[in-house]
Amino acid sequence: MRVFQAIGIADAVAPLETIPASGSLRELSTRRLYFLAAAQDLTGLLSIQLPDRSLTIHFRKGSPDLVDSTHGEDALASFLMRQRLVTPEQLGQAQRELGRFGGELLPALFGLGLVNPNVAMESLAQRAANLVGQVLLSFDGAFS
C-alpha cells in the first residue's frame, strides 16, 4: 500500500514570473502580461506599442484603473462627442479649464458640471472594456 503525502496549494503552484521592463508581444503575450499584473496585485503602468497606436493600462493592486489610447478614434473627447455626452462648446469650455483639474478632461467635465457622472459611467465603462479588449487582442508590437 502506498502512502501519499498531502501538499499544500502553495507547494503545488509555481511562483509567477516577474514582468520584464520591456519586450516583444511575440515573446510575452498581452494576455500573459495582464494575467501577471492581476495575479500579483501589481500597481503600475503597462504600455503597449502597436503599429498605429499606443495603449496604456494603469493597474492599481492588480485591477485596471485607467485605460487609454493614443489613436484618434479612441480619444476620450471624440468618444464623448460620438456618444452625445458633450457638445463641442462644452468640450471647449472643459479644455480651457484643464489646469484647474490636473490637466485631465474627464475630471474637468465632471467638475464643471458639464457631464453627469451617473449618465456617463455606463458609456465610459464600455469604452474602457473596448480598449482592454484591444490590448488583449494585440499580438504584434512591444510593451513596457
Side-chain angles (χ1 to χ4, degrees):
M1 175 183 276
R2 259 195 181 155
V3 178
F4 293 96
Q5 180 182 11
I7 59 172
I9 289 291
D11 297 328
V13 177
L16 295 172
E17 72 261 31
T18 59
I19 297 175
S22 62
S24 168
L25 296 178
R26 290 180 185 259
E27 296 170 13
L28 191 58
S29 74
T30 54
R31 291 170 310 287
R32 184 70 181 167
L33 291 165
Y34 192 99
F35 166 77
L36 291 170
Q40 297 177 56
D41 292 328
L42 297 180
T43 297
L45 173 67
L46 174 62
S47 180
I48 306 294
Q49 290 77 40
L50 303 177
D52 65 339
R53 71 191 75 200
S54 292
L55 297 157
T56 55
I57 301 178
H58 295 261
F59 284 93
R60 182 178 299 173
K61 296 182 180 178
S63 296
D65 188 48
L66 175 68
V67 185
D68 208 358
S69 170
T70 60
H71 198 278
E73 292 176 10
D74 299 334
L76 179 60
S78 301
F79 173 81
L80 293 171
M81 296 273 293
R82 281 193 311 274
Q83 296 295 308
R84 301 180 195 264
L85 293 169
V86 296
T87 65
E89 295 78 19
Q90 291 171 319
L91 191 57
Q93 181 182 352
Q95 288 172 331
R96 287 189 297 277
E97 298 289 333
L98 288 178
R100 290 180 43 204
F101 298 93
E104 298 291 329
L105 180 59
L106 201 54
L109 289 165
F110 291 160
L112 294 169
L114 301 173
V115 173
N116 181 338
N118 295 325
V119 172
M121 278 305 151
E122 185 176 335
S123 294
L124 292 169
Q126 185 61 48
R127 175 182 179 263
N130 288 339
L131 291 175
V132 168
Q134 286 182 38
V135 168
L136 295 175
L137 293 174
S138 300
F139 298 100
D140 192 23
F143 70 88
S144 59

